[in-house]
């Protein structure tokens, strides 16, 4: 079939096409006018994907916008938000919905869940591809009700989003409450142990250790001096006869020249008068007396040196004992201080843990009480003035297009069932013989021409 034949068919079957088009359009318009009208109320939300933490003041990490927005869309259309809408608007208390639930579910299941599913079927969420705006719309037969439900969904979503942030903080806050009580007991126990230890060992302040250390240093200096004196006294004791203290003794100095003089006299008298001379014997007796007095004086001087050396030894021993005792005392105090330092460190660690937990508890408590979210309602839903469905104009245009296709289809279906002769080309196609001449006049279709010409086609064959 060429284009000319196609136009001839359309022209010949125009009434069929027009009738089909009229019936389709009329039916569509009637149905669109008869169907109940639905109204779609829309609200717009803006979702901030980055910002500042209102509690800590720190910059929050940038979130991947597509994934984050997709998550928020899922939250908006979740049963949790729908159930919050049902409870917030009190839809579960409406008798009509209760009766519908009984008739539909026969009392099985949960009424709130049933109503929430009905709401979700009429809810549509449309996120923007180029911004952080999210639009949600609810469709219903009453424009006022549609606007109320759309705003309720926006409010319920914000509350759910806030709960998702505050519930973990509330759980953390409860956990920190328990931990703080344990840390408080631990800190109190460590402080009591430290206090008892300090009282038992008299560790009031660090001055006692400083005083004992200074006393030990003083004893050390005295001990060094005593050791030096003892060594010097021992050396003098070994050489006491030749010591200046003995030689410089007044008695020794007075008797020594007399003894020398008497020895000289005895030597002279032994040569002149002989050793048996009474005068010699008298001088000898005098000389022995002086010698005895000199020896006694020397002995007393040496005894004084020996007594001094013994006193130095005794003092040295006393200082050594005092130094050893003081050293042991200082070491004992130092050990007590070290143990006290360990106990103080335990107290410090317990206090740091307690302070850190208290700080974290304060932060989580503020987070649990936070009322700020990253979602705001940009434009609330208002009752629509025009219905969203049925769309009469759009349905009419679609009916015109569909009716035209159906009309053309019916026309060609009739053409196939009973094809008339409309041109010389039809005769040539039907009989498969060449056309020698054609008389042009007013075009007229010949119904049943196909059945009429088939015998001629068989004879020509």
């Amino acid at each position: 079939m060429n284009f000319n034949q196609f136009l001839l068919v359309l022209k010949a079957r125009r009434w069929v096409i027009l009738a089909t088009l009229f019936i389709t359009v009329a039916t569509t318009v009637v149905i669109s006018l008869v169907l109940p009208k639905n109204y779609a109320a829309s609200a717009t939300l803006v979702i901030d994907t980055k910002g500042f933490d209102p509690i800590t003041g720190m910059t929050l990490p940038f979130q991947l916008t597509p994934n984050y927005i997709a998550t928020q869309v899922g939250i908006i259309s979740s049963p949790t938000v729908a159930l919050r809408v049902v409870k917030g608007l009190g839809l579960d208390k409406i008798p009509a919905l209760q009766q519908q639930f009984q008739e539909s579910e026969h009392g099985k299941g949960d009424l709130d869940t049933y109503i929430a599913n009905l709401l979700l079927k009429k809810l549509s969420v449309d996120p923007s591809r180029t911004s952080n705006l999210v639009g949600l719309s609810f469709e219903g037969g009453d424009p006022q009700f549609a606007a109320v439900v759309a705003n309720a969904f926006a409010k319920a979503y914000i509350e759910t989003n806030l709960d998702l942030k505050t519930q973990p903080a509330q759980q953390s806050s409860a956990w920190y409450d328990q931990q703080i009580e344990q840390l408080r007991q631990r800190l109190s126990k460590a402080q009591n142990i430290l206090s008892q230890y300090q009282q038992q060992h008299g560790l009031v302040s660090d001055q006692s250790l400083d005083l004992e250390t200074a006393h030990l240093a003083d004893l050390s200096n005295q001990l060094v001096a005593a050791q030096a004196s003892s060594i010097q006294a021992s050396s003098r004791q070994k050489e006491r006869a030749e010591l200046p203290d003995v030689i410089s003794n007044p008695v020794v100095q007075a008797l020594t020249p007399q003894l020398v003089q008497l020895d000289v006299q005895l030597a002279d008298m032994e040569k002149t008068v002989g050793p048996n001379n009474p005068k010699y014997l008298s001088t000898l007796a005098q000389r022995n007396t002086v010698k005895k007095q000199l020896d006694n004086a020397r002995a007393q001087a040496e005894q004084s040196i020996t007594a001094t050396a013994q006193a130095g030894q005794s003092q040295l021993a006393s200082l050594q004992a005092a130094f050893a005792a003081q050293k042991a005392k200082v070491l004992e105090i130092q050990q007590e201080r070290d143990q006290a330092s360990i106990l103080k460190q335990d107290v410090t660690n317990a206090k740091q843990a307690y302070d850190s937990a208290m700080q974290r508890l304060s932060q989580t408590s503020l987070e649990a009480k936070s009322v700020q979210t990253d979602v705001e309602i940009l434009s609330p839903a208002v009752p629509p003035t025009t219905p969203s469905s049925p769309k009469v104009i759009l349905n009419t245009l679609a009916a015109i297009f569909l009716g035209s296709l159906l009309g053309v289809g019916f026309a060609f279906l009739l053409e196939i069932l009973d094809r008339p002769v409309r041109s010389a080309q039809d005769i040539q196609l039907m009989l498969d013989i060449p056309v020698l001449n054609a008389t042009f006049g007013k075009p007229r279709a010949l119904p049943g021409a196909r059945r009429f010409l088939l015998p001629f086609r068989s004879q020509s064959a």
Side-chain angles (χ1 to χ4, degrees):
M1 178 182 292
N2 54 30
F3 185 71
N4 187 30
Q5 291 175 324
F6 176 76
L7 294 178
L8 290 174
V9 171
L10 294 182
K11 184 177 180 181
R13 305 288 184 180
R14 62 184 178 277
W15 296 113
V16 174
I17 297 174
L18 292 175
T20 303
L21 176 61
F22 175 78
I23 293 173
T24 303
V25 173
T27 303
T28 302
V29 171
V30 171
I31 293 175
S32 298
L33 295 176
V34 172
L35 288 176
K37 296 181 180 180
N38 291 324
Y39 296 86
S42 301
T44 304
L45 303 175
V46 57
I47 301 176
D48 187 14
T49 56
K50 60 179 180 177
F52 293 93
D53 190 341
I55 306 300
T56 61
M58 299 177 61
T59 303
L60 297 176
F62 180 75
Q63 297 159 330
L64 297 178
T65 303
N67 295 338
Y68 184 72
I69 296 297
T71 302
Q72 302 308 307
V73 170
I75 295 175
I76 296 173
S77 57
S78 65
T80 302
V81 176
L83 288 173
R84 191 184 288 268
V85 172
V86 173
K87 290 297 184 182
L89 297 180
L91 300 179
D92 54 337
K93 299 178 181 179
I94 298 178
L97 291 176
Q98 294 176 354
Q99 182 179 359
Q100 181 180 348
F101 170 70
Q102 293 294 335
E103 294 175 355
S104 176
E105 303 295 331
H106 304 289
K108 297 180 181 180
D110 182 62
L111 175 61
D112 294 344
T113 305
Y114 173 77
I115 299 175
N117 291 332
L118 293 180
L119 296 179
L120 290 176
K121 291 179 181 179
K122 298 182 180 181
L123 177 70
S124 61
V125 183
D126 184 22
S128 175
R129 296 184 179 181
T130 59
S131 65
N132 294 341
L133 299 179
V134 175
L136 62 89
S137 62
F138 183 81
E139 189 176 25
D142 185 3
Q144 296 289 342
F145 179 75
V148 170
V149 175
N151 290 327
F153 263 100
K155 180 181 177 182
Y157 161 64
I158 294 176
E159 293 175 352
T160 302
N161 192 13
L162 182 61
D163 289 343
L164 292 176
K165 292 183 178 181
T166 57
Q167 284 180 356
Q170 291 174 357
Q171 296 175 358
S172 299
S173 179
W175 182 82
Y176 273 110
D177 280 335
Q178 299 175 357
Q179 295 300 315
I180 282 176
E181 182 60 29
Q182 297 178 2
L183 292 174
R184 184 183 293 111
Q185 295 177 359
R186 175 185 170 188
L187 176 59
S188 177
K189 182 178 179 181
Q191 289 176 340
N192 290 334
I193 292 175
L194 176 61
S195 178
Q196 292 176 2
Y197 185 83
Q198 289 176 338
Q199 291 177 1
Q200 290 175 359
H201 297 84
L203 301 177
V204 180
S205 63
D206 294 335
Q207 293 181 356
S208 59
L209 178 61
D210 296 337
L211 293 175
E212 297 297 339
T213 303
H215 184 43
L216 178 64
D218 184 49
L219 288 176
S220 177
N221 295 331
Q222 294 181 18
L223 181 60
V224 171
Q227 287 176 343
S229 299
S230 178
I231 293 174
Q232 184 179 4
S234 298
S235 176
R236 293 174 61 188
Q237 186 178 7
K238 293 179 181 179
E239 302 175 355
R240 54 184 178 273
E242 291 82 10
L243 288 177
D245 294 342
V246 177
I247 297 175
S248 60
N249 189 280
V251 179
V252 174
Q253 289 182 352
L255 296 177
T256 300
Q258 293 181 14
L259 181 62
V260 173
Q261 184 179 2
L262 291 174
D263 286 338
V264 172
Q265 290 179 3
L266 287 175
D268 293 339
M269 292 178 66
E270 184 179 4
K271 292 179 180 179
T272 56
V273 295
N276 294 322
N277 189 288
K279 188 177 181 179
Y280 177 83
L281 294 176
S282 176
T283 302
L284 179 61
Q286 184 181 359
R287 186 260 178 195
N288 291 333
T289 301
V290 173
K291 179 68 171 59
K292 185 176 180 180
Q293 291 177 352
L294 179 61
D295 291 339
N296 290 334
R298 286 180 176 274
Q300 290 179 356
E302 292 175 359
Q303 186 177 3
S304 176
I305 294 174
T306 301
T308 302
Q310 291 177 351
Q313 291 291 335
S314 177
Q315 183 182 8
L316 177 62
S318 177
L319 288 174
Q320 288 177 342
F323 179 80
Q326 185 65 21
K327 182 178 180 181
K329 185 177 181 180
V330 170
L331 290 176
E332 182 181 0
I333 295 176
Q334 185 64 45
Q335 291 177 355
E336 294 173 354
R337 292 293 178 184
D338 293 340
Q339 183 64 28
S341 298
I342 295 175
L343 296 178
K344 287 181 180 179
Q345 187 63 39
D346 292 340
V347 173
T348 301
N349 294 337
K351 190 174 185 305
Q352 288 178 351
Y354 177 78
D355 292 341
S356 178
M358 282 296 296
Q359 182 179 3
R360 184 55 182 163
L361 174 62
S362 300
Q363 182 175 345
T364 53
S365 298
L366 291 176
E367 292 176 355
K369 298 177 182 178
S370 176
V371 294
Q372 296 183 0
T373 64
D374 54 2
V375 182
E376 294 292 340
I377 299 178
L378 182 62
S379 57
V382 295
T385 56
T386 57
S388 60
S389 66
K391 300 178 180 179
V392 180
I393 297 178
L394 181 61
N395 294 341
T396 302
L397 294 177
I400 293 173
F401 177 74
L402 181 61
S404 300
L405 291 180
L406 289 176
V408 173
F410 286 148
F412 275 92
L413 179 61
L414 293 176
E415 193 74 14
I416 293 173
L417 294 177
D418 186 11
R419 184 176 181 183
V421 176
R422 303 185 187 281
S423 63
Q425 288 83 357
D426 293 339
I427 298 176
Q428 184 176 357
L429 290 174
M430 292 179 182
L431 299 178
D432 196 17
I433 58 177
V435 177
L436 299 178
N437 192 10
T439 301
F440 295 95
K442 184 178 180 180
R444 182 178 180 183
L446 298 177
R450 184 175 183 182
R451 294 191 301 271
F452 176 76
L453 292 175
L454 284 178
F456 292 97
R457 180 178 181 181
S458 60
Q459 293 177 4
S460 63

